[in-house]
Amino acid sequence: MKSFRFKVIVYVSVAAILGATLCWVLLRNPEAITDMSKYRSVEIGTVKPGEAAAELNLQYSGYEVVAENSRYRMELDATEVIFRITDKSTGKIWLNGFPADQYGDTVIPKTKRQLKSICSISYSNATAGADGAVSNAADDVITAYTALEDGIEISFTFPAYEIKASVQIYLDATGFRARIPREKIEENGEYYILKIDLMESFGSVIQGSDGYILYPDGSGTLYDCSSSGSGNSFTQTDSVYCNPLNDIDKEKERKSSGYKSILMPYFGSSAGDRGFISYIEEGSDSANISFNPSGAFIKINRVYPSITYRKIMSRLGPDKREIFVTEKDSKVGDLCVKYILLTDNDADYSGMANHLRDYLMQTGRLPALTSAKKLEQIPLALEILTGVQTDTLFGKKGLSMTTYAQTGEILDLLQENGVDSVYSILLGWQKEGYMQYPSSSTPASYLGSAKELKDLLVHNTDAANKMFLLTNYINSMQGSDLFNKQDDAIISFVKLPITNKAENEFYMNIDRQFNKFSSKDMAKYKKLGATGLAFDGIGEIIVSDYTKNHIITRKDSMLIEASMAKLSKESGFFTAVQIGNDYMLPYADYVYNLYDSDSNLFVFSREIPFYQLVVHGLIPYSCDIPGNMTSDFQLQKLKWVEYGSMPYFLVSDKSANDLRDTEIEDIFSPRFSDWKDAIIETYKEFNQRLLPIFNQTVVEHTYINPQLVEMVYQSGHKVYINYSSDKMSVGSNEVPAMDYLVVEP
Amino acid sequence: MNRVRNRVSNKTIILMIIVFSVINILVSTVAAKTSIPYDYTLDSANNRIPIPKTYECVGVISNISDYFPDEGTAGSLNSPADIFIDATDNIYIADSNNNAVLKLNPDGELVAAVTAANGIDLKYPLGLYVDNEGDIYVADNGNKRILHLDGTGDYVEEFIEPKTSLINQELAVFDPTKIAMNSTNGYLYMILGKQFLTIDANNKFRGFIGSEKVSVDLAYLLFQLLGSETQKVKVGKRQPVPYNNFHITKDNDIYAVSMSRTNQIKQINSIGNNIYNPGFYGEMSYEDDGTPVYPFFVDVAVSSNGIITLAEQHSNKLYQYDNLGNLLTVFGGTGDNKGRFGVISSIAYDSKDRLYVVDSARNNIQIFEATTFIKQVQDATILYNQGRYDESMAIWKKVNLTASNYPNALSSIAKINFKQKNYKEALTSYFEVKDKTGYGKVIEKLRFELYLNHFTPIALLSVFIIGLLLWLLAFLYRKCEKAENLLYKNSQTKFRAFLRMCLLMFFHPVRALDLVKKHRDERNMYPVILLPLMVIIERLASILFTNFTVSSISPGEANLMFEVAIVIIPYLSLAVCVYGILSILSGEMKFYEGFAATAYSLTPFVVLTPLMILVSRVVSNAEASIFYSVQKLIYLWVVVLIVTAVYRLNNISVRKTALVCLLSIAGVAVIWVVALLIFAFTSQIVYFIKEINLELIGLSR
């Protein structure tokens, strides 16, 4: 009897505990709905959509004028559904495709039609198990036209799929804009839209012609269309800013393999005396840029944007097989792309950079030339590795690589030797150490006292010297008391936290992190004496969170990151952002770890410093490879010159051998005493030779030959960079081997 | 009774879940990376050491103009299998799936294509060689012949299977894959399984070369002697491991890579002997289920300065060694961008020592150029290996500046400093590179110098210390003699009794054990708790403070929980097993006695370990084996004491003692196996709970 009663008590208790847990899990509301209104002051990329004027009934074969302004005329062939834009002053024409009769018999009709596609939709039908793509040019489609103020809206209805989408094209002073309005997209049946490609063939370049494609991989890259070879078969598609983050391990693997993300959503092409540069003004958070190279049959190279309407992600099923899940409701907005049309001397990548820079400055995406800060010296970019976590017998323990006092000594020594301007970032100053997340705002006691840190920060901050505390509001690791997986970890739309295989690394909800930064951490940084903050990950990674009632889209994430930088700047902190996604540029005082290469993909011919050509002279930056972590320091120095970077080193008091029992894998020569002379010498050299051009914008960048680069600055200075081991002559000038030459105007 | 047992087992499981969950959380590690590009090398313990980039891809040959092997694949290679670069840097490619051989000029432009369209019917060419006159020899695998073409690709002759009874059709088929020519005698060499077949210009068999000796172990011999016919067949005949590829240098040295698990590189001299340093080359890797994967080298290339590069196909990495087998760098890997590969099939150097890597999956050839860093490493290595230490030292210092963690630089600098009698600098470098042998040698030299310079004071001090130790021993022995009489008197506190028992256990274990037995009803918990605790503390101290020259584990690699567990678990499980077995076999020992006797048996370890730590600080490499032997003797002493305890405390025969010991060991093994099973079971539960937890986080949000 007693045992029966005991059993009942046990069962009831267990049932009650389980029930309560389930209720708590299902009914609790972690926080109120995300209030995005506080971030709206940092709007990114909104342009007024075209306004409908009248219905058009176009049935003519041949080109019909549909819009015109003082410089351009847009005509449309309603039979072929091809439009062309003519520069009235020069008579030059840009086409969105090629009429079918321009191809030989080897090209199948479907492909021919795709080459003039304005709108191509990838779809999925889960019920029928069908995936595929339809294009306005290749499939049964009902096309309707509406006149806009300066352009036209073309609506496509695909009856077989019960899908509808529209594209608006309208002229402006420098070219035109193309928009896919979100509100005009309809899905009335069982077919779901996954992706929409916009104007695949606009500005395409024929293989074998004198031209190239500009692709925004890393610092920028070109595909040379002039060779007569063929056989490239793969389309390169990358998400703008960063790939959708589904698996932290894969993301790390990509990074360590050398993949670089798109920092600025531009693309373009040059074909003889015509070219264009495009910029995704709206919807860049969900946009992709694709490069479709010439193949065995189609000798045309195309670069175009698309929008991911619905995300797809994989997860492991019960049988450990990968299953793909499609997002139920689309979260995207409009996609709007600005096309700047270029002719003659402007139709090369330098011209593209110049026009893009002007456009970005006009739209407030870059500081205007007049407001850009002019620096008196070229600062030395110095990252100082202070604290790291090391494995010991008793678990993880802080290891001092450079104490606060030693950091002060390093900076004093540099100053005594004529290094007057240093932008230094303290890595691992917190108690957790470098690359341990989330990072707190508490200094590491094993590096010195808080007072020592304060003295260090105050002592090394003035007009020419800035010191930054490195912060991170993106990454987190299991086991930290600053991170609660239940509330902080972001989840995907399949309702699983985004993590790694070991399930001990996560990304944090950026809205909660913004609140923490604004309400607590900023005051703590002030108290510590900080005058500069460097945001790791912010400006590099954008994450979406599908927490119920708390959804943060990639666009929201961009807004919040930009707001964080803006708040930091407005609160008096000198603000540094990592990598430098372009939406951060209006709020960044300094960009660090900026890519100085592309991803080294097979398909592309040559990396170029396109991003740097756009921003140089407007925002100071340093590139991502420290001079003391390369196999050839002189080569790296030349790259800094070409890419307009500050000289950059990563140092510590101790040597790389002390990092052996830590998780820092790729720092192999940080000891300051080994590099002291090289640092001082490089700083002096840069300031003696390059100071006149450091605050100037770049007007022209040319490869005179594969190993000799010519750069022309706004002031008229020319810089020749010789990467070869032989001296080279340019006119009357001689450029020494593995060196550079600055020629005054 | 069953219910009680069930309840206990449930509790145990829950406890285990908690314990293992905690362990799981404690031991989980997170790899973190910055974005600095790097290659790596391996240290003496095979840890990967990051180093600056050593090779950069400076060009890619993929789309070849005017090459039309097949409609629709214009310009494309199709599974290229081999590459050869002649003295003027013309590039020859065996494009196997296109049944073609290509000749490209140094700029990668097509000069000639040998295809069916040109009247040469190749079938799956897998290898090629070009002689000094520019004639091309093709391993026309599908046609089972070696085809001789002139420099323009026209047919000259063909070599087929030479007539000889020495080719055993069961073991090797004339199936040309990789070929080369000895420039001195003009013989063609081709891989025929485990050896190289040589053919002269008249298609006559000229012998085999390079056959490896077969090692036979005891197990194999036993199977051959005692096994059934089926077993013999199953074990199979011991045969040499086949070669994968080879390269003949200008000096007619053969460098070959084989499928063996060690000694994968061979340098075969003119009389057919391997003169390359034996050893394991490459790295082991493991599948997700723990299955080991041995390196699979598909090709070898030798640079003009004798640097050897191996292509490993599982990882698509390139391993570079010097002529003595020292690893210089590892680079490459699987990936989609330049510098990485789909499937490496062949490699070759050109006259400027640029490395060409053929990728049969991506159908391209990447051209790599050495960076300044690795050029310095190669130069320094060659000079060092030639004995030009001073010259190499200057370059090693540059290497050390670029990568202060580069093991070969540290090691060479240490060795040169040692040779130049700069012992202190050598000591620092040896310590940084964790070279136990080198460090020990320096210690020996420093010690010797110390003796020479301060012989008198050291001799006096040594005499004094030895005298002091002897006196201490004698003093303790006398104390111990008296202690026996004083023990367990009423005036004794339990702690003092415990100390004296320890002393007695050290000098007179039998008497000590008799006393434990005599006073088996007077429980003293000091030995049971303090001695195992001391063992744990000293084990940890030993890890922390034993000199690294004789230390078996570094503090960074040790895990506190594990170290505690390896003391506590054997101690508890052994004590419980001995007691349990003796209870069954009618032993007299009580439960407490078992624990106390086992604990007292640890006394030699407790007493001697601190001394061993001190001694380790001055042990040189030569004395390391003595040090290890003494350590083993201490463990043996502890074991002997435990066995003696079983014997004395139970009044049983020697035979029965042996039986109890064996059964106890078996009992301990059973307990551990059960614990492992529980661990495996709980791991699954923990995994399940983690999965549920993740799902719940999603559900709740």
Side-chain angles (χ1 to χ4, degrees), chain A residues 230 252 320 548 632 665 669, chain B residues 31 50 63 372 401 687 701:
Chain A
S230 60
K252 279 186 177 176
K320 300 280 176 198
K548 194 165 56 186
D632 188 332
E665 292 178 338
S669 186
Chain B
N63 295 310
T372 307
L401 174 66
Y687 177 75
R701 293 164 63 185

Side-chain angles (χ1 to χ4, degrees), chain B residues 18 36 64 67 91 252 302 325 375 405 417 455 528 621 638 699:
Chain B
I18 294 165
I36 299 165
I64 299 161
Y67 177 46
I91 304 154
N252 291 315
V302 183
K375 277 182 194 162
N405 57 349
N417 273 323
F455 178 76
V528 178
N621 191 49
V638 170
L699 268 180

